[in-house]
Short mmCIF file of all heavy atoms in Angstrom, two decimals:
data_model
loop_
_atom_site.label_atom_id
_atom_site.label_comp_id
_atom_site.label_asym_id
_atom_site.label_seq_id
_atom_site.Cartn_x
_atom_site.Cartn_y
_atom_site.Cartn_z
N VAL A 268 3.91 6.26 -4.75
CA VAL A 268 3.78 4.80 -4.68
C VAL A 268 3.53 4.18 -6.05
O VAL A 268 3.78 2.99 -6.23
CB VAL A 268 2.68 4.37 -3.68
CG1 VAL A 268 3.10 4.67 -2.27
CG2 VAL A 268 1.37 4.98 -4.02
N THR A 269 3.07 4.94 -7.00
CA THR A 269 2.83 4.38 -8.33
C THR A 269 4.14 4.02 -9.03
O THR A 269 4.13 3.24 -9.97
CB THR A 269 2.05 5.36 -9.21
OG1 THR A 269 2.80 6.57 -9.36
CG2 THR A 269 0.69 5.67 -8.61
N LYS A 270 5.23 4.55 -8.56
CA LYS A 270 6.53 4.25 -9.17
C LYS A 270 7.28 3.12 -8.46
O LYS A 270 8.37 2.74 -8.87
CB LYS A 270 7.40 5.50 -9.19
CG LYS A 270 6.74 6.66 -9.94
CD LYS A 270 7.75 7.56 -10.55
CE LYS A 270 7.14 8.78 -11.14
NZ LYS A 270 6.34 8.61 -12.29
N LEU A 271 6.69 2.58 -7.41
CA LEU A 271 7.33 1.48 -6.68
C LEU A 271 7.18 0.17 -7.45
O LEU A 271 6.17 -0.03 -8.14
CB LEU A 271 6.71 1.34 -5.29
CG LEU A 271 6.87 2.55 -4.36
CD1 LEU A 271 6.14 2.33 -3.05
CD2 LEU A 271 8.34 2.82 -4.09
N PRO A 272 8.14 -0.72 -7.35
CA PRO A 272 8.09 -1.96 -8.14
C PRO A 272 6.91 -2.87 -7.80
O PRO A 272 6.44 -3.60 -8.66
CB PRO A 272 9.41 -2.66 -7.82
CG PRO A 272 10.05 -1.91 -6.73
CD PRO A 272 9.36 -0.61 -6.57
N GLU A 273 6.40 -2.83 -6.60
CA GLU A 273 5.29 -3.70 -6.23
C GLU A 273 3.93 -3.15 -6.63
O GLU A 273 2.91 -3.83 -6.51
CB GLU A 273 5.32 -4.00 -4.72
CG GLU A 273 5.02 -2.81 -3.84
CD GLU A 273 6.25 -2.09 -3.33
OE1 GLU A 273 7.26 -2.03 -4.05
OE2 GLU A 273 6.20 -1.58 -2.21
N TYR A 274 3.89 -1.93 -7.13
CA TYR A 274 2.61 -1.27 -7.44
C TYR A 274 1.82 -2.01 -8.52
O TYR A 274 0.62 -2.19 -8.40
CB TYR A 274 2.85 0.18 -7.85
CG TYR A 274 1.56 0.93 -8.08
CD1 TYR A 274 0.84 1.44 -7.02
CD2 TYR A 274 1.05 1.11 -9.36
CE1 TYR A 274 -0.36 2.11 -7.21
CE2 TYR A 274 -0.14 1.78 -9.57
CZ TYR A 274 -0.84 2.28 -8.49
OH TYR A 274 -2.03 2.93 -8.69
N GLU A 275 2.48 -2.45 -9.57
CA GLU A 275 1.78 -3.12 -10.68
C GLU A 275 1.08 -4.39 -10.21
O GLU A 275 -0.06 -4.66 -10.58
CB GLU A 275 2.74 -3.44 -11.81
CG GLU A 275 3.15 -2.23 -12.61
CD GLU A 275 4.04 -2.62 -13.78
OE1 GLU A 275 3.91 -3.74 -14.29
OE2 GLU A 275 4.86 -1.78 -14.16
N THR A 276 1.78 -5.17 -9.40
CA THR A 276 1.21 -6.41 -8.89
C THR A 276 -0.01 -6.13 -8.03
O THR A 276 -1.05 -6.78 -8.15
CB THR A 276 2.25 -7.18 -8.06
OG1 THR A 276 3.41 -7.38 -8.85
CG2 THR A 276 1.72 -8.50 -7.59
N LEU A 277 0.09 -5.14 -7.17
CA LEU A 277 -1.02 -4.79 -6.29
C LEU A 277 -2.18 -4.20 -7.06
O LEU A 277 -3.34 -4.53 -6.80
CB LEU A 277 -0.54 -3.82 -5.22
CG LEU A 277 -1.56 -3.43 -4.18
CD1 LEU A 277 -2.01 -4.64 -3.38
CD2 LEU A 277 -1.01 -2.38 -3.26
N ALA A 278 -1.89 -3.34 -8.02
CA ALA A 278 -2.95 -2.70 -8.80
C ALA A 278 -3.75 -3.71 -9.61
O ALA A 278 -4.94 -3.51 -9.87
CB ALA A 278 -2.36 -1.64 -9.72
N ALA A 279 -3.14 -4.82 -9.98
CA ALA A 279 -3.85 -5.87 -10.71
C ALA A 279 -4.85 -6.60 -9.81
O ALA A 279 -5.84 -7.15 -10.28
CB ALA A 279 -2.85 -6.87 -11.30
N LYS A 280 -4.62 -6.61 -8.51
CA LYS A 280 -5.47 -7.34 -7.57
C LYS A 280 -6.47 -6.45 -6.83
O LYS A 280 -7.53 -6.90 -6.44
CB LYS A 280 -4.59 -8.03 -6.51
CG LYS A 280 -3.50 -8.89 -7.07
CD LYS A 280 -3.94 -10.30 -7.18
CE LYS A 280 -2.78 -11.14 -7.69
NZ LYS A 280 -3.20 -12.40 -8.19
N VAL A 281 -6.11 -5.17 -6.62
CA VAL A 281 -6.91 -4.28 -5.77
C VAL A 281 -7.14 -2.95 -6.50
O VAL A 281 -6.24 -2.44 -7.16
CB VAL A 281 -6.17 -4.02 -4.43
CG1 VAL A 281 -6.97 -3.07 -3.55
CG2 VAL A 281 -5.89 -5.31 -3.70
N ASP A 282 -8.35 -2.40 -6.37
CA ASP A 282 -8.63 -1.07 -6.92
C ASP A 282 -8.05 -0.02 -5.97
O ASP A 282 -8.65 0.32 -4.95
CB ASP A 282 -10.13 -0.87 -7.08
CG ASP A 282 -10.47 0.49 -7.66
OD1 ASP A 282 -9.56 1.15 -8.21
OD2 ASP A 282 -11.64 0.90 -7.55
N LEU A 283 -6.88 0.49 -6.28
CA LEU A 283 -6.14 1.37 -5.38
C LEU A 283 -6.66 2.81 -5.38
O LEU A 283 -6.23 3.60 -4.55
CB LEU A 283 -4.66 1.34 -5.72
CG LEU A 283 -4.00 -0.02 -5.50
CD1 LEU A 283 -2.54 0.02 -5.95
CD2 LEU A 283 -4.09 -0.43 -4.05
N THR A 284 -7.56 3.15 -6.28
CA THR A 284 -8.08 4.52 -6.30
C THR A 284 -8.95 4.81 -5.08
O THR A 284 -9.19 5.95 -4.74
CB THR A 284 -8.90 4.77 -7.57
OG1 THR A 284 -9.99 3.84 -7.62
CG2 THR A 284 -8.03 4.63 -8.81
N LYS A 285 -9.40 3.75 -4.39
CA LYS A 285 -10.27 3.92 -3.22
C LYS A 285 -9.50 4.12 -1.92
O LYS A 285 -10.10 4.42 -0.90
CB LYS A 285 -11.14 2.67 -3.04
CG LYS A 285 -12.07 2.38 -4.17
CD LYS A 285 -12.83 1.12 -3.88
CE LYS A 285 -13.72 0.73 -5.03
NZ LYS A 285 -14.42 -0.54 -4.76
N TYR A 286 -8.18 3.95 -1.95
CA TYR A 286 -7.42 3.90 -0.71
C TYR A 286 -6.32 4.95 -0.65
O TYR A 286 -5.76 5.34 -1.67
CB TYR A 286 -6.80 2.51 -0.54
CG TYR A 286 -7.82 1.41 -0.56
CD1 TYR A 286 -7.94 0.56 -1.65
CD2 TYR A 286 -8.70 1.24 0.51
CE1 TYR A 286 -8.89 -0.43 -1.67
CE2 TYR A 286 -9.66 0.24 0.49
CZ TYR A 286 -9.75 -0.59 -0.60
OH TYR A 286 -10.69 -1.57 -0.62
N HIS A 287 -6.03 5.36 0.57
CA HIS A 287 -4.93 6.27 0.87
C HIS A 287 -3.77 5.41 1.37
O HIS A 287 -3.97 4.50 2.16
CB HIS A 287 -5.36 7.27 1.95
CG HIS A 287 -4.24 8.09 2.49
ND1 HIS A 287 -3.63 9.08 1.76
CD2 HIS A 287 -3.61 8.06 3.68
CE1 HIS A 287 -2.67 9.62 2.49
NE2 HIS A 287 -2.64 9.01 3.66
N THR A 288 -2.56 5.69 0.92
CA THR A 288 -1.42 4.87 1.32
C THR A 288 -0.66 5.47 2.49
O THR A 288 -0.58 6.69 2.63
CB THR A 288 -0.42 4.70 0.15
OG1 THR A 288 0.03 5.98 -0.25
CG2 THR A 288 -1.06 4.00 -1.02
N GLN A 289 -0.12 4.59 3.32
CA GLN A 289 0.74 5.00 4.43
C GLN A 289 1.90 4.02 4.48
O GLN A 289 1.70 2.83 4.70
CB GLN A 289 0.00 4.98 5.75
CG GLN A 289 0.90 5.33 6.92
CD GLN A 289 0.22 5.14 8.26
OE1 GLN A 289 -0.94 4.75 8.34
NE2 GLN A 289 0.95 5.40 9.31
N ILE A 290 3.10 4.52 4.24
CA ILE A 290 4.28 3.68 4.33
C ILE A 290 4.64 3.54 5.80
O ILE A 290 4.97 4.52 6.45
CB ILE A 290 5.45 4.26 3.51
CG1 ILE A 290 5.05 4.34 2.04
CG2 ILE A 290 6.70 3.42 3.71
CD1 ILE A 290 6.04 5.01 1.17
N VAL A 291 4.54 2.31 6.30
CA VAL A 291 4.79 2.05 7.70
C VAL A 291 6.27 1.83 7.95
O VAL A 291 6.82 2.30 8.94
CB VAL A 291 3.98 0.81 8.17
CG1 VAL A 291 4.27 0.48 9.61
CG2 VAL A 291 2.51 1.04 7.94
N GLU A 292 6.91 1.11 7.04
CA GLU A 292 8.31 0.74 7.23
C GLU A 292 8.96 0.63 5.85
O GLU A 292 8.37 0.07 4.94
CB GLU A 292 8.34 -0.62 7.94
CG GLU A 292 9.69 -1.13 8.31
CD GLU A 292 9.57 -2.43 9.08
OE1 GLU A 292 8.75 -2.54 10.00
OE2 GLU A 292 10.32 -3.36 8.73
N ASP A 293 10.14 1.18 5.72
CA ASP A 293 10.89 1.06 4.47
C ASP A 293 12.37 0.96 4.81
O ASP A 293 13.02 1.96 5.05
CB ASP A 293 10.62 2.26 3.56
CG ASP A 293 11.13 2.04 2.15
OD1 ASP A 293 11.68 0.96 1.88
OD2 ASP A 293 10.99 2.95 1.33
N HIS A 294 12.85 -0.27 4.83
CA HIS A 294 14.24 -0.53 5.15
C HIS A 294 14.95 -1.03 3.91
O HIS A 294 14.35 -1.15 2.84
CB HIS A 294 14.35 -1.58 6.26
CG HIS A 294 13.78 -1.12 7.57
ND1 HIS A 294 14.29 -0.09 8.29
CD2 HIS A 294 12.71 -1.56 8.27
CE1 HIS A 294 13.59 0.09 9.38
NE2 HIS A 294 12.61 -0.79 9.39
N PHE A 295 16.21 -1.36 4.05
CA PHE A 295 16.98 -1.81 2.90
C PHE A 295 16.49 -3.15 2.38
O PHE A 295 16.70 -3.48 1.22
CB PHE A 295 18.48 -1.88 3.24
CG PHE A 295 18.83 -2.97 4.21
CD1 PHE A 295 19.24 -4.21 3.78
CD2 PHE A 295 18.74 -2.75 5.58
CE1 PHE A 295 19.56 -5.20 4.67
CE2 PHE A 295 19.06 -3.73 6.48
CZ PHE A 295 19.47 -4.98 6.03
N ASN A 296 15.81 -3.95 3.19
CA ASN A 296 15.39 -5.27 2.72
C ASN A 296 13.88 -5.44 2.57
O ASN A 296 13.44 -6.35 1.89
CB ASN A 296 15.92 -6.36 3.66
CG ASN A 296 15.42 -6.20 5.07
OD1 ASN A 296 14.93 -5.14 5.46
ND2 ASN A 296 15.54 -7.25 5.86
N LYS A 297 13.07 -4.60 3.19
CA LYS A 297 11.62 -4.75 3.03
C LYS A 297 10.90 -3.41 3.18
O LYS A 297 11.41 -2.47 3.76
CB LYS A 297 11.05 -5.75 4.03
CG LYS A 297 11.00 -5.27 5.46
CD LYS A 297 10.36 -6.33 6.34
CE LYS A 297 10.44 -5.90 7.78
NZ LYS A 297 9.85 -6.90 8.66
N ARG A 298 9.67 -3.39 2.60
CA ARG A 298 8.82 -2.20 2.69
C ARG A 298 7.41 -2.68 3.05
O ARG A 298 6.90 -3.63 2.45
CB ARG A 298 8.79 -1.46 1.36
CG ARG A 298 7.92 -0.26 1.34
CD ARG A 298 7.97 0.57 0.06
NE ARG A 298 8.35 -0.11 -1.15
CZ ARG A 298 9.53 0.08 -1.78
NH1 ARG A 298 10.41 0.92 -1.30
NH2 ARG A 298 9.82 -0.58 -2.89
N ILE A 299 6.79 -2.02 4.02
CA ILE A 299 5.44 -2.35 4.44
C ILE A 299 4.57 -1.11 4.22
O ILE A 299 4.90 -0.02 4.67
CB ILE A 299 5.38 -2.77 5.92
CG1 ILE A 299 6.23 -4.03 6.12
CG2 ILE A 299 3.95 -3.00 6.35
CD1 ILE A 299 6.35 -4.46 7.56
N ILE A 300 3.47 -1.31 3.49
CA ILE A 300 2.56 -0.21 3.18
C ILE A 300 1.15 -0.60 3.60
O ILE A 300 0.71 -1.73 3.34
CB ILE A 300 2.57 0.13 1.67
CG1 ILE A 300 3.98 0.48 1.21
CG2 ILE A 300 1.61 1.28 1.38
CD1 ILE A 300 4.09 0.73 -0.28
N LEU A 301 0.44 0.33 4.25
CA LEU A 301 -0.97 0.15 4.59
C LEU A 301 -1.81 0.93 3.59
O LEU A 301 -1.45 2.04 3.20
CB LEU A 301 -1.27 0.66 5.99
CG LEU A 301 -0.73 -0.14 7.16
CD1 LEU A 301 -1.06 0.57 8.46
CD2 LEU A 301 -1.28 -1.55 7.17
N TYR A 302 -2.93 0.35 3.20
CA TYR A 302 -3.88 1.02 2.32
C TYR A 302 -5.16 1.22 3.12
O TYR A 302 -5.81 0.27 3.51
CB TYR A 302 -4.12 0.18 1.06
CG TYR A 302 -2.87 0.07 0.23
CD1 TYR A 302 -1.93 -0.93 0.46
CD2 TYR A 302 -2.59 1.02 -0.75
CE1 TYR A 302 -0.76 -1.00 -0.29
CE2 TYR A 302 -1.43 0.95 -1.50
CZ TYR A 302 -0.52 -0.06 -1.26
OH TYR A 302 0.62 -0.12 -1.99
N LYS A 303 -5.49 2.51 3.37
CA LYS A 303 -6.61 2.85 4.24
C LYS A 303 -7.79 3.39 3.44
O LYS A 303 -7.60 4.10 2.45
CB LYS A 303 -6.17 3.89 5.27
CG LYS A 303 -5.09 3.39 6.20
CD LYS A 303 -4.73 4.44 7.22
CE LYS A 303 -3.71 3.90 8.20
NZ LYS A 303 -3.42 4.87 9.26
N ASP A 304 -8.99 3.07 3.92
CA ASP A 304 -10.21 3.58 3.29
C ASP A 304 -10.44 5.04 3.73
O ASP A 304 -9.70 5.55 4.57
CB ASP A 304 -11.41 2.69 3.62
CG ASP A 304 -11.74 2.64 5.10
OD1 ASP A 304 -11.23 3.47 5.87
OD2 ASP A 304 -12.53 1.76 5.49
N PRO A 305 -11.45 5.72 3.18
CA PRO A 305 -11.68 7.13 3.55
C PRO A 305 -11.97 7.34 5.04
O PRO A 305 -11.78 8.42 5.56
CB PRO A 305 -12.89 7.52 2.70
CG PRO A 305 -12.84 6.62 1.53
CD PRO A 305 -12.28 5.32 2.05
N ASN A 306 -12.40 6.29 5.75
CA ASN A 306 -12.66 6.39 7.18
C ASN A 306 -11.38 6.23 8.01
O ASN A 306 -11.44 6.34 9.23
CB ASN A 306 -13.68 5.34 7.62
CG ASN A 306 -15.02 5.56 6.98
OD1 ASN A 306 -15.40 6.69 6.70
ND2 ASN A 306 -15.73 4.49 6.70
N GLY A 307 -10.26 5.95 7.36
CA GLY A 307 -9.00 5.81 8.06
C GLY A 307 -8.69 4.40 8.55
O GLY A 307 -7.71 4.18 9.22
N ARG A 308 -9.55 3.44 8.21
CA ARG A 308 -9.31 2.05 8.62
C ARG A 308 -8.48 1.33 7.57
O ARG A 308 -8.77 1.42 6.37
CB ARG A 308 -10.63 1.31 8.82
CG ARG A 308 -11.31 1.74 10.12
CD ARG A 308 -12.59 1.00 10.32
NE ARG A 308 -13.62 1.90 9.78
CZ ARG A 308 -14.74 1.50 9.21
NH1 ARG A 308 -15.01 0.24 9.10
NH2 ARG A 308 -15.60 2.38 8.75
N ALA A 309 -7.47 0.62 8.01
CA ALA A 309 -6.61 -0.12 7.10
C ALA A 309 -7.39 -1.29 6.49
O ALA A 309 -8.01 -2.06 7.21
CB ALA A 309 -5.37 -0.62 7.82
N GLN A 310 -7.36 -1.40 5.17
CA GLN A 310 -8.06 -2.48 4.48
C GLN A 310 -7.09 -3.51 3.90
O GLN A 310 -7.40 -4.69 3.84
CB GLN A 310 -8.93 -1.91 3.35
CG GLN A 310 -10.01 -0.99 3.84
CD GLN A 310 -11.02 -1.70 4.73
OE1 GLN A 310 -11.41 -2.82 4.46
NE2 GLN A 310 -11.43 -1.03 5.79
N TYR A 311 -5.92 -3.02 3.46
CA TYR A 311 -4.90 -3.91 2.90
C TYR A 311 -3.54 -3.55 3.47
O TYR A 311 -3.30 -2.40 3.84
CB TYR A 311 -4.83 -3.79 1.37
CG TYR A 311 -6.03 -4.37 0.66
CD1 TYR A 311 -7.12 -3.58 0.33
CD2 TYR A 311 -6.07 -5.72 0.34
CE1 TYR A 311 -8.22 -4.11 -0.30
CE2 TYR A 311 -7.16 -6.26 -0.31
CZ TYR A 311 -8.23 -5.44 -0.62
OH TYR A 311 -9.32 -5.98 -1.26
N LYS A 312 -2.68 -4.54 3.48
CA LYS A 312 -1.30 -4.34 3.92
C LYS A 312 -0.43 -5.11 2.93
O LYS A 312 -0.73 -6.25 2.58
CB LYS A 312 -1.12 -4.91 5.32
CG LYS A 312 0.29 -4.86 5.85
CD LYS A 312 0.31 -5.47 7.26
CE LYS A 312 1.67 -5.43 7.86
NZ LYS A 312 1.67 -5.96 9.24
N THR A 313 0.62 -4.45 2.44
CA THR A 313 1.55 -5.15 1.56
C THR A 313 2.92 -5.21 2.22
O THR A 313 3.35 -4.27 2.88
CB THR A 313 1.69 -4.44 0.19
OG1 THR A 313 2.15 -3.11 0.39
CG2 THR A 313 0.38 -4.44 -0.56
#
């Protein structure tokens, strides 16, 4: 995920070292990613 184009924008707003990523959807026109805390609860969605 660090190589994805949206990573820089998100990293500037959120400390991503605290979260585990889960790509929920990745189609030709959009990508949805959940960022979960160590307890497995989603904290952010892009």
